[in-house]
Amino acid sequence: MMKFKKAGLVADLFPNIRLMQTSGHFMFNYHSETTGAVHGLRVLYSSVHLVLVMAQFGFTFGNLVQESDDVNDLAANTITVLFFTHTLTKYLYFAIRSKLFYRTLGIWNQANSHPLFVESNNRYHALSLKKMRQLLIIVLTATIFSASSWTTITFFGESVRVRKDPENENITVSTEIPRLLIKSWYPWDAMSGLPHLLSLIYQVYYVFFSMCHANLLDSLFCSWLIFACEQLMHLKEILKPLMELSATLDTYVPKTADLFRAPSANSQDNLVDNDFNEKNNHNDDLDLRGIYSTRQELGAHYRSGALQTFNSGGGGIGPNGLTKKQELMVRSAIKYWVERHKHVVRLVTAIGDSYGIALLLHMLTSTIMLTLLAYQATKIDGVNPYAFSVIGYLLYALGQVFHFCIFGNRLIEESSSVMEAAYSCHWYDGSEEAKTFVQIVCQQCQKAMSISGAKFFTISLDLFASVLGAVVTYFMVLIQLK
Amino acid sequence: MNYIDFIIFIGFCKTIVVLRNKIQFAQIMNKLHREPFLPDPKRGGKIEEKLIKKCVWITTVQTSIYWLCGGCSVLGTILYSLFERLTHSDYHYWQLPYGPLTFVNMTYSPNFEIVWCYQCVSFCLVAVTYTSIDSLVAAILAHTCYQFKILQNCVRSYGKTDHETKKVENTTDSSSGLQATLKRIVDYHTAIFDVIEEMEAIFNKLLLTQFTGTLCYLCICAYQATEVIDAARLLRHLLEAVCIILQVLLICYWGEQLYSESEKVGFAAYESHFIGTKFSFQKSIAFIIRRSQNPAQLTAGKFAVVGFLTFAWILRTSYSAFFMLRQVKMKQ
């Protein structure tokens, strides 16, 4: 029985992961006990949820078939079926492709570090953690609010089915149907009494858990994007100290006191030992140990803050005008930057691989659903439960699309603004090596990192604007045709 | 929705935005009065002084015309209602300048005057804030455009003064002079971009509100215009629509100018005398060109870039929406 260690993204996203496991997603990693019996119980738990969800979906679909003679009812039922298709898609998608999700969650387990940039790294990591928690709370609140308003609106208005009288075309006959959240065909009679109560409870569970399934997975995706964005902000921030570090001796003397200031100057030695030796798997330059073993010398300089005294450390002036030690330190900083950037690119690629197809399926379902909603919206004739439910569906669907579009857009903006940060970091003072590095960075960051829906479209605010524009256009055209 | 409601709503939004960001806004304007935005003859010669003077002249003309038009329209409405009040003693002819108030009985004397004074004063205030904020934003954008022009001039002569000093001083190594000039250019370039970024942060949501509001208003105004038969009212609707369009056009014009001026910095860098300088300086020119290929742009809520494309899109969309409303009305 091995206690698994929460590391990297798993540690940051642990509340989200636990909530997903509780709601029945097929996620079986990240538990302490992995014995066969407990694992079997977990599989059983998720399977029961799956069976219940699929059963209710089947009942809803049955009702759609049953009521397909009336156009209005057909449209309304199709919207309901499409709404819950999201959940089923995401549920099954996660079950089938959970390996890719585990891979993405494990990508940040081994992160490189550099003693000079630890403070900045930790600060942005804390920021991203805070934002991820805030997002989770907002998504949960919205889900609970939607589920409860759906439950509340069930008890308003008449629960009847209106049909034209077969004898006389002008008269409509209304037959009563059970007052439930979703119109479904049940093999038992759910009109009143105990079956009605049980069906109601089943549907409340279904609505709440379905929304949770879809929204928690979306929020996992957005949390990954938040993390990637904060890493990019960390990289942008450390460009300036990196340039100052490599500034040639005679043209510029940086304020090294600022450069090397650690939260506590005494702990600098510990930082160097623990972080650097343990986590830095990318360290090939053993000479760096030689540098850091002279940390007594560096330790003295942390307090005095004069760059010139590096000269006394030995080693002649290198071709870039820096001492050997300084050159190696600059090179290690550049190496950290490039490795971290490549790590972020790997993370974004993994995110795109694991979630791209889910986004494509989501957008397909949403497009059809929003078109039908535009049609339903043309039939609103007053402030009644019908209007509220149509507007509720619309806002929920647009909100889901907005949720991932805004984070996708932020990723695009952050990754393309690395170039602007590189330009404003006083690169003209740096050594030739640093200047060439900055230019290579600029070339690389020309193409912004973005998440695509399986290459069909890019997730950005443009996508949201086009979806919104399409809904408004359909609405206008349908109003004309009425 | 009529003209007055729209103006009051947008004026309210503008006032809220400027009040909440008044310190940053003041800092931006103060920045433009300091280095490196001041004309520096050592940097670029007498042209800098001329460009700044031209910019000040353009912004003064722009602001004066805007105030004149705004003042005329407000004054015109007030004088018209005053004229109506003074020439008729029958209260049926009395008209308030900006719409009637239903909960106060204004058919007799002191009430009408009090409400009239209130409307005049409040609407003057609304007009003053509205036009001032618009003019300020347009003026700051104009100034940043001209700063880019000064930067272009400075970059174009990079290396030139250095060649001359080399001939004069008979030195072969001019790297310190070039290095200092490069530092100045890059710092100036970055400083202008910082100003644009701050403006964007303050104003992008306001611009989004203004653009969407203009879209809705134009559509409704056109729809209302198709319903009137009276030529005077038709003219009035037309004038109101033109006013609103001109405001959006002003911002879009300066946004477009900003975009093209910041692109031209790259062309100016290409025209500099980089041939023969050390390779590191030539690589720096490449860097400057690369940076200028991401031009400075203002966005409206991150959705649309403020420029002529967006302006044309607003006009087109409001026309199609108006057309659709007309179809619906004709069917009924």
Side-chain angles (χ1 to χ4, degrees):
Chain A
M1 214 193 310
M2 186 185 65
K3 185 129 185 69
F4 90 101
K5 200 170 162 263
K6 291 189 272 183
L9 277 173
V10 177
D12 294 344
L13 290 167
F14 206 63
N16 201 334
I17 291 175
R18 272 286 177 256
L19 279 170
M20 281 175 70
Q21 288 171 334
T22 321
S23 75
H25 267 290
F26 284 80
M27 189 188 271
F28 304 122
N29 284 17
Y30 317 124
H31 288 283
S32 320
E33 305 108 36
T34 45
T35 50
V38 184
H39 178 79
L41 268 174
R42 290 198 193 109
V43 174
L44 186 67
Y45 178 73
S46 298
S47 312
V48 165
H49 277 289
L50 181 64
V51 164
L52 286 173
V53 163
M54 285 187 85
Q56 176 60 47
F57 188 78
F59 294 144
T60 320
F61 194 77
N63 179 64
L64 176 122
V65 170
Q66 201 182 37
E67 288 189 352
S68 55
D69 46 345
D70 181 46
V71 171
N72 290 332
D73 277 342
L74 184 63
N77 290 334
T78 314
I79 291 176
T80 313
V81 165
L82 285 172
F83 185 85
F84 291 105
T85 309
H86 279 305
T87 297
L88 211 55
T89 318
K90 295 214 159 95
Y91 205 164
L92 291 172
Y93 181 81
F94 186 83
I96 296 171
R97 302 192 84 183
S98 40
K99 270 210 174 43
L100 284 170
F101 282 87
Y102 294 145
R103 195 185 74 169
T104 313
L105 280 168
I107 254 191
W108 211 265
N109 285 349
Q110 296 273 28
N112 65 347
S113 84
H114 193 276
L116 286 174
F117 305 130
V118 170
E119 189 257 328
S120 169
N121 184 36
N122 292 345
R123 187 161 22 98
Y124 278 103
H125 187 224
L127 256 174
S128 78
L129 202 65
K130 191 178 86 156
K131 287 193 184 164
M132 289 197 257
R133 298 284 150 90
Q134 272 177 350
L135 177 71
L136 187 63
I137 291 176
I138 291 175
V139 165
L140 275 177
T141 318
T143 312
I144 294 174
F145 175 71
S146 311
S148 29
S149 35
W150 192 324
T151 317
T152 320
I153 217 171
T154 316
F155 297 103
F156 286 87
E158 305 174 326
S159 97
V160 291
R161 178 190 301 159
V162 173
R163 285 282 182 276
K164 286 199 166 55
D165 195 349
E167 280 113 53
N168 189 349
E169 280 282 312
N170 293 334
I171 304 178
T172 52
V173 170
S174 27
T175 43
E176 216 180 316
I177 50 172
R179 187 178 280 276
L180 290 169
L181 276 73
I182 311 163
K183 288 200 280 189
S184 331
W185 171 86
Y186 285 122
W188 57 85
D189 176 21
M191 266 316 286
S192 59
L194 191 63
H196 176 247
L197 189 65
L198 288 176
S199 309
L200 195 67
I201 295 174
Y202 180 34
Q203 288 203 349
V204 170
Y205 149 81
Y206 175 66
V207 164
F208 181 61
F209 268 71
S210 302
M211 288 191 186
C212 279
H213 288 149
N215 291 347
L216 284 174
L217 201 59
D218 275 342
S219 119
L220 184 73
F221 168 70
C222 294
S223 306
W224 284 338
L225 291 180
I226 292 176
F227 186 79
C229 289
E230 294 300 323
Q231 286 299 318
L232 285 169
M233 291 191 69
H234 160 62
L235 284 174
K236 286 195 303 189
E237 195 195 56
I238 62 176
L239 270 172
K240 209 175 234 173
L242 202 151
M243 281 300 126
E244 287 175 2
L245 181 62
S246 82
T248 48
L249 293 172
D250 50 340
T251 54
Y252 180 71
V253 178
K255 300 191 198 62
T256 36
D258 293 325
L259 197 55
F260 292 123
R261 188 181 308 136
S264 137
N266 294 328
S267 67
Q268 192 70 24
D269 298 345
N270 291 335
L271 276 174
V272 169
D273 265 333
N274 297 338
D275 290 345
F276 187 68
N277 292 333
E278 269 178 35
K279 284 199 211 162
N280 196 342
N281 300 323
H282 306 270
N283 176 27
D284 300 327
D285 303 356
L286 294 170
D287 287 333
L288 284 164
R289 267 181 237 259
I291 291 188
Y292 291 112
S293 71
T294 57
R295 61 183 178 276
Q296 294 303 352
E297 180 194 311
L298 286 179
H301 295 314
Y302 291 160
R303 282 173 269 283
S304 73
L307 195 58
Q308 281 85 349
T309 45
F310 272 130
N311 254 334
S312 60
I317 309 276
N320 297 319
L322 307 170
T323 64
K324 202 80 188 122
K325 278 201 175 62
Q326 198 179 8
E327 204 171 294
L328 281 172
M329 195 181 305
V330 169
R331 197 164 296 158
S332 77
I334 291 179
K335 198 173 170 98
Y336 167 80
W337 200 101
V338 173
E339 290 298 323
R340 184 54 75 96
H341 192 240
K342 291 201 295 209
H343 206 172
V344 174
V345 172
R346 274 205 308 277
L347 172 67
V348 171
T349 319
I351 296 174
D353 286 338
S354 46
Y355 213 63
I357 298 184
L359 289 168
L360 175 66
L361 293 170
H362 183 117
M363 289 308 298
L364 279 174
T365 323
S366 285
T367 313
I368 307 174
M369 194 168 94
L370 285 167
T371 317
L372 285 170
L373 275 169
Y375 169 65
Q376 292 286 77
T378 59
K379 292 188 287 182
I380 292 181
D381 50 3
V383 181
N384 48 24
Y386 175 75
F388 278 119
S389 57
V390 169
I391 296 194
Y393 269 118
L394 256 174
L395 288 176
Y396 191 86
L398 287 174
Q400 277 186 316
V401 176
F402 185 72
H403 179 213
F404 50 77
C405 281
I406 202 164
F407 289 108
N409 198 58
R410 194 163 162 235
L411 179 71
I412 295 177
E413 275 181 7
E414 286 296 338
S415 59
S416 52
S417 69
V418 174
M419 191 271 230
E420 278 141 44
Y423 190 72
S424 51
C425 70
H426 302 307
W427 47 271
Y428 40 75
D429 279 331
S431 61
E432 287 311 306
E433 184 170 8
K435 274 199 264 198
T436 318
F437 154 69
V438 168
Q439 295 196 342
I440 293 178
V441 161
C442 274
Q443 279 299 113
Q444 171 57 23
C445 296
Q446 249 177 287
K447 184 162 184 317
M449 286 194 274
S450 62
I451 306 281
S452 72
K455 308 266 188 280
F456 277 87
F457 49 81
T458 321
I459 305 295
S460 69
L461 277 178
D462 285 335
L463 178 70
F464 178 69
S466 69
V467 165
L468 199 58
V471 171
V472 173
T473 313
Y474 295 153
F475 178 70
M476 300 209 299
V477 167
L478 286 167
I479 278 225
Q480 283 197 36
L481 292 176
K482 229 167 68 104
Chain B
M1 191 201 322
N2 69 34
Y3 185 60
I4 311 297
D5 296 334
F6 180 72
I7 295 278
I8 294 181
F9 170 66
I10 299 284
F12 185 63
C13 293
K14 286 190 186 177
T15 319
I16 298 274
V17 167
V18 172
L19 263 180
R20 286 182 65 173
N21 297 299
K22 54 183 189 274
I23 300 182
Q24 288 102 306
F25 201 32
Q27 275 173 352
I28 293 176
M29 289 197 274
N30 276 333
K31 252 199 231 183
L32 286 172
H33 282 282
R34 290 198 294 260
E35 298 290 332
F37 299 106
L38 293 174
D40 184 3
K42 287 199 288 285
R43 181 174 60 186
K46 295 210 180 61
I47 297 185
E48 298 207 356
E49 189 77 47
K50 276 195 222 156
L51 282 170
I52 292 275
K53 282 213 175 84
K54 183 154 184 225
C55 179
V56 172
W57 180 81
I58 286 184
T59 49
T60 318
V61 165
Q62 181 179 279
T63 315
S64 330
I65 294 182
Y66 203 155
W67 274 347
L68 200 69
C69 295
C72 282
S73 73
V74 171
L75 216 61
T77 325
I78 292 179
L79 286 176
Y80 178 72
S81 69
L82 189 66
F83 175 72
E84 287 283 322
R85 166 73 182 86
L86 292 175
T87 52
H88 297 109
S89 47
D90 179 6
Y91 62 82
H92 287 116
Y93 288 98
W94 295 353
Q95 270 183 54
L96 279 173
Y98 294 107
L101 273 177
T102 45
F103 52 84
V104 171
N105 188 351
M106 285 177 310
T107 51
Y108 54 92
S109 207
N111 280 15
F112 181 82
E113 269 75 30
I114 293 171
V115 177
W116 184 88
C117 282
Y118 157 73
Q119 283 211 347
C120 290
V121 166
S122 64
F123 215 77
C124 282
L125 284 174
V126 168
V128 163
T129 15
Y130 192 97
T131 49
S132 317
I133 293 176
D134 258 350
S135 317
L136 265 177
V137 172
I140 293 180
L141 288 179
H143 272 280
T144 36
C145 284
Y146 274 81
Q147 294 295 334
F148 271 121
K149 279 206 209 295
I150 295 175
L151 176 67
Q152 286 163 29
N153 172 57
C154 172
V155 170
R156 214 171 277 131
S157 52
Y158 176 66
K160 178 170 83 175
T161 46
D162 175 73
H163 277 242
E164 289 162 2
T165 32
K166 263 195 343 199
K167 279 190 228 152
V168 166
E169 293 173 12
N170 258 339
T171 51
T172 45
D173 180 23
S174 51
S175 43
S176 62
L178 273 180
Q179 177 75 3
T181 321
L182 181 68
K183 181 175 154 69
R184 267 206 310 251
I185 290 176
V186 174
D187 281 343
Y188 188 20
H189 204 182
T190 319
I192 308 179
F193 274 117
D194 285 340
V195 168
I196 299 289
E197 241 179 68
E198 287 169 29
M199 286 290 286
E200 156 97 9
I202 297 177
F203 286 106
N204 74 340
K205 292 198 173 56
L206 176 67
L207 285 171
L208 181 68
T209 320
Q210 187 164 7
F211 286 3
T212 34
T214 308
L215 194 68
C216 301
Y217 174 73
L218 280 178
C219 162
I220 293 177
C221 180
Y223 181 66
Q224 285 173 344
T226 55
E227 290 188 331
V228 297
I229 343 153
D230 184 14
R233 289 197 61 185
L234 190 65
L235 187 67
R236 192 173 150 186
H237 274 296
L238 194 68
L239 278 176
E240 289 166 0
V242 166
C243 280
I244 301 289
I245 290 177
L246 281 178
Q247 287 165 17
V248 174
L249 183 63
L250 182 71
I251 302 283
C252 287
Y253 171 75
W254 285 116
E256 187 72 35
Q257 286 293 97
L258 192 66
Y259 191 88
S260 61
E261 290 300 328
S262 57
E263 261 189 332
K264 286 191 199 156
V265 174
F267 294 122
Y270 191 57
E271 289 169 20
S272 70
H273 299 72
F274 60 87
I275 300 181
T277 54
K278 250 163 77 170
F279 289 157
S280 62
F281 295 116
Q282 298 193 14
K283 280 196 263 188
S284 316
I285 294 285
F287 205 170
I288 297 177
I289 296 178
R290 177 67 195 89
R291 178 65 182 95
S292 71
Q293 286 169 346
N294 271 28
Q297 52 196 30
L298 271 188
T299 63
K302 312 256 186 263
F303 279 98
V305 174
V306 173
F308 287 142
L309 266 172
T310 312
F311 180 67
W313 180 85
I314 291 177
L315 289 180
R316 264 206 320 266
T317 316
S318 60
Y319 178 70
S320 22
F322 151 68
F323 209 70
M324 187 243 4
L325 275 178
R326 229 174 95 110
Q327 294 284 68
V328 170
K329 190 188 165 223
M330 272 168 36
K331 283 213 170 154
Q332 283 174 353

